[in-house]
mmCIF file of all heavy atoms in Angstrom:
data_model
loop_
_atom_site.group_PDB
_atom_site.id
_atom_site.type_symbol
_atom_site.label_atom_id
_atom_site.label_comp_id
_atom_site.label_asym_id
_atom_site.label_seq_id
_atom_site.Cartn_x
_atom_site.Cartn_y
_atom_site.Cartn_z
ATOM 1 N N ARG I 25 28.326 59.665 -5.634
ATOM 2 C CA ARG I 25 27.361 58.543 -5.572
ATOM 3 C C ARG I 25 25.919 59.221 -5.561
ATOM 4 O O ARG I 25 25.022 58.764 -6.282
ATOM 5 C CB ARG I 25 27.588 57.633 -4.282
ATOM 6 C CG ARG I 25 26.876 56.412 -4.489
ATOM 7 C CD ARG I 25 27.200 55.596 -3.174
ATOM 8 N NE ARG I 25 28.608 55.554 -2.919
ATOM 9 C CZ ARG I 25 29.139 55.958 -1.904
ATOM 10 N NH1 ARG I 25 28.446 56.483 -0.885
ATOM 11 N NH2 ARG I 25 30.461 55.916 -1.655
ATOM 12 N N GLU I 26 25.720 60.109 -4.631
ATOM 13 C CA GLU I 26 24.345 60.711 -4.671
ATOM 14 C C GLU I 26 23.981 61.422 -5.944
ATOM 15 O O GLU I 26 22.823 61.420 -6.267
ATOM 16 C CB GLU I 26 24.386 61.761 -3.471
ATOM 17 C CG GLU I 26 22.998 62.473 -3.305
ATOM 18 C CD GLU I 26 21.975 61.543 -2.661
ATOM 19 O OE1 GLU I 26 22.381 60.589 -1.920
ATOM 20 O OE2 GLU I 26 20.782 61.735 -3.094
ATOM 21 N N ALA I 27 24.963 61.893 -6.559
ATOM 22 C CA ALA I 27 24.602 62.649 -7.837
ATOM 23 C C ALA I 27 24.663 61.589 -9.031
ATOM 24 O O ALA I 27 24.457 61.968 -10.157
ATOM 25 C CB ALA I 27 25.620 63.666 -8.125
ATOM 26 N N ASN I 28 24.838 60.346 -8.785
ATOM 27 C CA ASN I 28 24.997 59.307 -9.820
ATOM 28 C C ASN I 28 25.985 59.690 -10.878
ATOM 29 O O ASN I 28 25.736 59.572 -12.144
ATOM 30 C CB ASN I 28 23.563 59.155 -10.520
ATOM 31 C CG ASN I 28 22.559 58.435 -9.639
ATOM 32 O OD1 ASN I 28 22.876 57.487 -9.056
ATOM 33 N ND2 ASN I 28 21.438 59.111 -9.595
ATOM 34 N N THR I 29 27.217 60.133 -10.437
ATOM 35 C CA THR I 29 28.247 60.374 -11.341
ATOM 36 C C THR I 29 29.438 59.625 -10.816
ATOM 37 O O THR I 29 29.527 59.168 -9.736
ATOM 38 C CB THR I 29 28.597 61.777 -11.521
ATOM 39 O OG1 THR I 29 28.968 62.364 -10.317
ATOM 40 C CG2 THR I 29 27.324 62.610 -11.875
ATOM 41 N N ALA I 30 30.536 59.676 -11.595
ATOM 42 C CA ALA I 30 31.792 59.124 -11.125
ATOM 43 C C ALA I 30 32.458 60.117 -10.226
ATOM 44 O O ALA I 30 32.205 61.251 -10.343
ATOM 45 C CB ALA I 30 32.751 58.668 -12.177
ATOM 46 N N LEU I 31 33.333 59.642 -9.316
ATOM 47 C CA LEU I 31 33.978 60.539 -8.383
ATOM 48 C C LEU I 31 34.713 61.657 -9.149
ATOM 49 O O LEU I 31 34.647 62.766 -8.842
ATOM 50 C CB LEU I 31 35.084 59.581 -7.689
ATOM 51 C CG LEU I 31 35.804 60.183 -6.495
ATOM 52 C CD1 LEU I 31 36.417 59.031 -5.728
ATOM 53 C CD2 LEU I 31 36.836 61.182 -6.815
ATOM 54 N N GLY I 32 35.520 61.331 -10.203
ATOM 55 C CA GLY I 32 36.225 62.349 -10.784
ATOM 56 C C GLY I 32 35.459 63.568 -11.527
ATOM 57 O O GLY I 32 35.849 64.641 -11.696
ATOM 58 N N THR I 33 34.150 63.118 -11.729
ATOM 59 C CA THR I 33 33.349 64.177 -12.399
ATOM 60 C C THR I 33 33.116 65.380 -11.517
ATOM 61 O O THR I 33 33.051 66.526 -12.005
ATOM 62 C CB THR I 33 31.871 63.566 -12.696
ATOM 63 O OG1 THR I 33 32.091 62.361 -13.403
ATOM 64 C CG2 THR I 33 31.000 64.405 -13.471
ATOM 65 N N TYR I 34 33.133 65.182 -10.242
ATOM 66 C CA TYR I 34 33.023 66.221 -9.299
ATOM 67 C C TYR I 34 33.984 67.397 -9.688
ATOM 68 O O TYR I 34 33.578 68.606 -9.713
ATOM 69 C CB TYR I 34 33.280 65.818 -7.842
ATOM 70 C CG TYR I 34 33.220 66.973 -6.884
ATOM 71 C CD1 TYR I 34 32.071 67.287 -6.198
ATOM 72 C CD2 TYR I 34 34.389 67.637 -6.539
ATOM 73 C CE1 TYR I 34 32.079 68.389 -5.353
ATOM 74 C CE2 TYR I 34 34.338 68.664 -5.708
ATOM 75 C CZ TYR I 34 33.138 68.994 -5.107
ATOM 76 O OH TYR I 34 33.049 70.112 -4.212
ATOM 77 N N TYR I 35 35.204 66.990 -9.991
ATOM 78 C CA TYR I 35 36.218 68.064 -10.169
ATOM 79 C C TYR I 35 36.193 68.791 -11.555
ATOM 80 O O TYR I 35 36.919 69.715 -11.847
ATOM 81 C CB TYR I 35 37.650 67.509 -10.002
ATOM 82 C CG TYR I 35 37.894 67.231 -8.570
ATOM 83 C CD1 TYR I 35 37.581 65.895 -7.892
ATOM 84 C CD2 TYR I 35 38.316 68.246 -7.630
ATOM 85 C CE1 TYR I 35 37.810 65.731 -6.569
ATOM 86 C CE2 TYR I 35 38.521 68.058 -6.394
ATOM 87 C CZ TYR I 35 38.299 66.691 -5.836
ATOM 88 O OH TYR I 35 38.454 66.591 -4.458
ATOM 89 N N ILE I 36 35.235 68.283 -12.395
ATOM 90 C CA ILE I 36 34.894 69.128 -13.672
ATOM 91 C C ILE I 36 34.081 70.395 -13.191
ATOM 92 O O ILE I 36 34.294 71.343 -13.800
ATOM 93 C CB ILE I 36 34.207 68.135 -14.582
ATOM 94 C CG1 ILE I 36 35.054 67.025 -14.942
ATOM 95 C CG2 ILE I 36 33.736 69.064 -15.750
ATOM 96 C CD1 ILE I 36 34.203 66.019 -15.869
ATOM 97 N N TYR I 37 33.391 70.197 -12.207
ATOM 98 C CA TYR I 37 32.556 71.282 -11.915
ATOM 99 C C TYR I 37 32.855 72.100 -10.658
ATOM 100 O O TYR I 37 32.467 73.312 -10.529
ATOM 101 C CB TYR I 37 31.041 70.698 -11.532
ATOM 102 C CG TYR I 37 30.382 70.044 -12.922
ATOM 103 C CD1 TYR I 37 30.547 68.730 -13.084
ATOM 104 C CD2 TYR I 37 29.829 70.997 -13.725
ATOM 105 C CE1 TYR I 37 30.114 68.165 -14.223
ATOM 106 C CE2 TYR I 37 29.294 70.402 -14.922
ATOM 107 C CZ TYR I 37 29.415 68.998 -15.138
ATOM 108 O OH TYR I 37 28.939 68.488 -16.348
ATOM 109 N N PHE I 38 33.689 71.515 -9.847
ATOM 110 C CA PHE I 38 34.130 72.323 -8.609
ATOM 111 C C PHE I 38 35.597 72.034 -8.352
ATOM 112 O O PHE I 38 36.143 71.012 -8.568
ATOM 113 C CB PHE I 38 33.324 71.928 -7.335
ATOM 114 C CG PHE I 38 31.812 72.146 -7.560
ATOM 115 C CD1 PHE I 38 30.944 71.210 -8.002
ATOM 116 C CD2 PHE I 38 31.417 73.461 -7.300
ATOM 117 C CE1 PHE I 38 29.571 71.468 -8.098
ATOM 118 C CE2 PHE I 38 30.011 73.777 -7.450
ATOM 119 C CZ PHE I 38 29.177 72.802 -7.863
ATOM 120 N N GLU I 39 36.266 73.205 -7.884
ATOM 121 C CA GLU I 39 37.657 73.209 -7.554
ATOM 122 C C GLU I 39 38.138 72.199 -6.487
ATOM 123 O O GLU I 39 39.215 71.642 -6.522
ATOM 124 C CB GLU I 39 37.982 74.699 -7.152
ATOM 125 C CG GLU I 39 38.208 75.676 -8.243
ATOM 126 C CD GLU I 39 39.576 75.683 -8.772
ATOM 127 O OE1 GLU I 39 40.448 75.791 -7.958
ATOM 128 O OE2 GLU I 39 39.709 75.496 -9.985
ATOM 129 N N SER I 40 37.297 72.172 -5.495
ATOM 130 C CA SER I 40 37.706 71.525 -4.225
ATOM 131 C C SER I 40 36.416 71.136 -3.408
ATOM 132 O O SER I 40 35.338 71.418 -3.910
ATOM 133 C CB SER I 40 38.513 72.474 -3.374
ATOM 134 O OG SER I 40 37.673 73.531 -2.970
ATOM 135 N N LYS I 41 36.624 70.422 -2.367
ATOM 136 C CA LYS I 41 35.481 69.974 -1.587
ATOM 137 C C LYS I 41 34.800 71.134 -0.935
ATOM 138 O O LYS I 41 33.630 71.230 -0.865
ATOM 139 C CB LYS I 41 36.027 69.077 -0.422
ATOM 140 C CG LYS I 41 34.938 68.468 0.340
ATOM 141 C CD LYS I 41 35.392 67.610 1.480
ATOM 142 C CE LYS I 41 34.276 67.082 2.490
ATOM 143 N NZ LYS I 41 34.712 66.422 3.647
ATOM 144 N N ASN I 42 35.539 72.305 -0.658
ATOM 145 C CA ASN I 42 34.934 73.388 -0.105
ATOM 146 C C ASN I 42 34.172 74.170 -1.128
ATOM 147 O O ASN I 42 33.199 74.947 -0.696
ATOM 148 C CB ASN I 42 36.063 74.329 0.479
ATOM 149 C CG ASN I 42 36.649 73.895 1.747
ATOM 150 O OD1 ASN I 42 37.092 72.750 1.821
ATOM 151 N ND2 ASN I 42 36.335 74.608 2.786
ATOM 152 N N ALA I 43 34.444 74.033 -2.391
ATOM 153 C CA ALA I 43 33.796 74.961 -3.409
ATOM 154 C C ALA I 43 32.292 74.806 -3.459
ATOM 155 O O ALA I 43 31.594 75.683 -3.530
ATOM 156 C CB ALA I 43 34.394 74.716 -4.718
ATOM 157 N N VAL I 44 31.905 73.564 -3.448
ATOM 158 C CA VAL I 44 30.361 73.348 -3.367
ATOM 159 C C VAL I 44 29.780 73.978 -2.280
ATOM 160 O O VAL I 44 28.687 74.464 -2.335
ATOM 161 C CB VAL I 44 29.884 71.859 -3.371
ATOM 162 C CG1 VAL I 44 28.831 71.603 -4.442
ATOM 163 C CG2 VAL I 44 30.956 70.953 -3.108
ATOM 164 N N PHE I 45 30.490 73.821 -1.096
ATOM 165 C CA PHE I 45 29.930 74.342 0.176
ATOM 166 C C PHE I 45 29.637 75.814 0.060
ATOM 167 O O PHE I 45 28.575 76.287 0.331
ATOM 168 C CB PHE I 45 30.858 74.034 1.212
ATOM 169 C CG PHE I 45 30.276 73.769 2.593
ATOM 170 C CD1 PHE I 45 29.725 72.658 2.925
ATOM 171 C CD2 PHE I 45 30.056 74.844 3.405
ATOM 172 C CE1 PHE I 45 29.050 72.435 4.237
ATOM 173 C CE2 PHE I 45 29.562 74.710 4.652
ATOM 174 C CZ PHE I 45 29.003 73.514 5.061
ATOM 175 N N ARG I 46 30.715 76.492 -0.418
ATOM 176 C CA ARG I 46 30.505 77.937 -0.573
ATOM 177 C C ARG I 46 29.408 78.224 -1.653
ATOM 178 O O ARG I 46 28.551 79.172 -1.275
ATOM 179 C CB ARG I 46 31.773 78.518 -1.212
ATOM 180 C CG ARG I 46 31.635 79.918 -1.564
ATOM 181 C CD ARG I 46 33.118 80.559 -1.756
ATOM 182 N NE ARG I 46 33.625 80.820 -0.558
ATOM 183 C CZ ARG I 46 34.924 81.173 -0.343
ATOM 184 N NH1 ARG I 46 35.674 81.360 -1.451
ATOM 185 N NH2 ARG I 46 35.354 81.406 0.851
ATOM 186 N N GLU I 47 29.354 77.451 -2.627
ATOM 187 C CA GLU I 47 28.250 77.694 -3.616
ATOM 188 C C GLU I 47 26.886 77.617 -2.920
ATOM 189 O O GLU I 47 25.965 78.367 -3.264
ATOM 190 C CB GLU I 47 28.319 76.664 -4.708
ATOM 191 C CG GLU I 47 27.536 76.924 -6.111
ATOM 192 C CD GLU I 47 28.323 77.970 -6.838
ATOM 193 O OE1 GLU I 47 29.503 78.215 -6.682
ATOM 194 O OE2 GLU I 47 27.531 78.661 -7.588
ATOM 195 N N LEU I 48 26.661 76.597 -2.026
ATOM 196 C CA LEU I 48 25.466 76.402 -1.396
ATOM 197 C C LEU I 48 25.172 77.581 -0.370
ATOM 198 O O LEU I 48 24.046 77.903 -0.288
ATOM 199 C CB LEU I 48 25.547 75.052 -0.614
ATOM 200 C CG LEU I 48 25.426 73.849 -1.580
ATOM 201 C CD1 LEU I 48 25.752 72.524 -0.768
ATOM 202 C CD2 LEU I 48 23.961 73.707 -2.065
ATOM 203 N N VAL I 49 26.115 78.028 0.245
ATOM 204 C CA VAL I 49 25.927 79.170 1.167
ATOM 205 C C VAL I 49 25.483 80.473 0.345
ATOM 206 O O VAL I 49 24.520 81.096 0.709
ATOM 207 C CB VAL I 49 27.182 79.573 1.899
ATOM 208 C CG1 VAL I 49 27.000 80.794 2.801
ATOM 209 C CG2 VAL I 49 27.550 78.381 2.800
ATOM 210 N N LEU I 50 26.146 80.613 -0.866
ATOM 211 C CA LEU I 50 25.744 81.715 -1.730
ATOM 212 C C LEU I 50 24.299 81.539 -2.111
ATOM 213 O O LEU I 50 23.392 82.485 -2.183
ATOM 214 C CB LEU I 50 26.665 81.961 -2.887
ATOM 215 C CG LEU I 50 28.154 82.284 -2.443
ATOM 216 C CD1 LEU I 50 28.988 82.415 -3.779
ATOM 217 C CD2 LEU I 50 28.031 83.598 -1.761
ATOM 218 N N GLU I 51 23.923 80.362 -2.574
ATOM 219 C CA GLU I 51 22.540 80.103 -2.992
ATOM 220 C C GLU I 51 21.632 80.384 -1.917
ATOM 221 O O GLU I 51 20.578 80.995 -2.181
ATOM 222 C CB GLU I 51 22.542 78.598 -3.458
ATOM 223 C CG GLU I 51 21.218 78.302 -4.046
ATOM 224 C CD GLU I 51 21.052 76.852 -4.351
ATOM 225 O OE1 GLU I 51 21.069 75.936 -3.393
ATOM 226 O OE2 GLU I 51 20.887 76.423 -5.500
ATOM 227 N N MET I 52 21.959 79.871 -0.670
ATOM 228 C CA MET I 52 21.131 80.196 0.399
ATOM 229 C C MET I 52 20.842 81.701 0.785
ATOM 230 O O MET I 52 19.786 82.146 0.935
ATOM 231 C CB MET I 52 21.644 79.546 1.718
ATOM 232 C CG MET I 52 20.905 79.711 2.962
ATOM 233 S SD MET I 52 19.315 78.842 2.924
ATOM 234 C CE MET I 52 18.852 79.038 4.671
ATOM 235 N N GLY I 53 22.011 82.417 0.410
ATOM 236 C CA GLY I 53 21.851 83.908 0.570
ATOM 237 C C GLY I 53 20.788 84.474 -0.354
ATOM 238 O O GLY I 53 19.800 85.127 0.029
ATOM 239 N N THR I 54 20.870 84.053 -1.662
ATOM 240 C CA THR I 54 19.890 84.615 -2.641
ATOM 241 C C THR I 54 18.486 84.152 -2.221
ATOM 242 O O THR I 54 17.569 84.969 -2.242
ATOM 243 C CB THR I 54 20.302 83.936 -4.000
ATOM 244 O OG1 THR I 54 21.666 84.213 -4.271
ATOM 245 C CG2 THR I 54 19.373 84.518 -5.077
ATOM 246 N N LEU I 55 18.351 82.900 -1.992
ATOM 247 C CA LEU I 55 17.033 82.307 -1.579
ATOM 248 C C LEU I 55 16.484 82.970 -0.468
ATOM 249 O O LEU I 55 15.277 83.384 -0.477
ATOM 250 C CB LEU I 55 17.138 80.827 -1.357
ATOM 251 C CG LEU I 55 16.928 79.891 -2.492
ATOM 252 C CD1 LEU I 55 17.157 78.410 -2.031
ATOM 253 C CD2 LEU I 55 15.454 80.030 -2.932
#
Side-chain angles (χ1 to χ4, degrees):
Chain I
R25 192 176 317 117
E26 180 67 34
N28 292 310
T29 63
L31 193 164
T33 306
Y34 176 88
Y35 288 92
I36 295 170
Y37 295 95
F38 297 97
E39 281 272 308
S40 65
K41 188 182 171 186
N42 284 63
V44 230
F45 207 86
R46 166 166 290 168
E47 196 75 23
L48 286 167
V49 174
L50 294 180
E51 186 185 64
M52 178 71 168
T54 309
L55 264 177

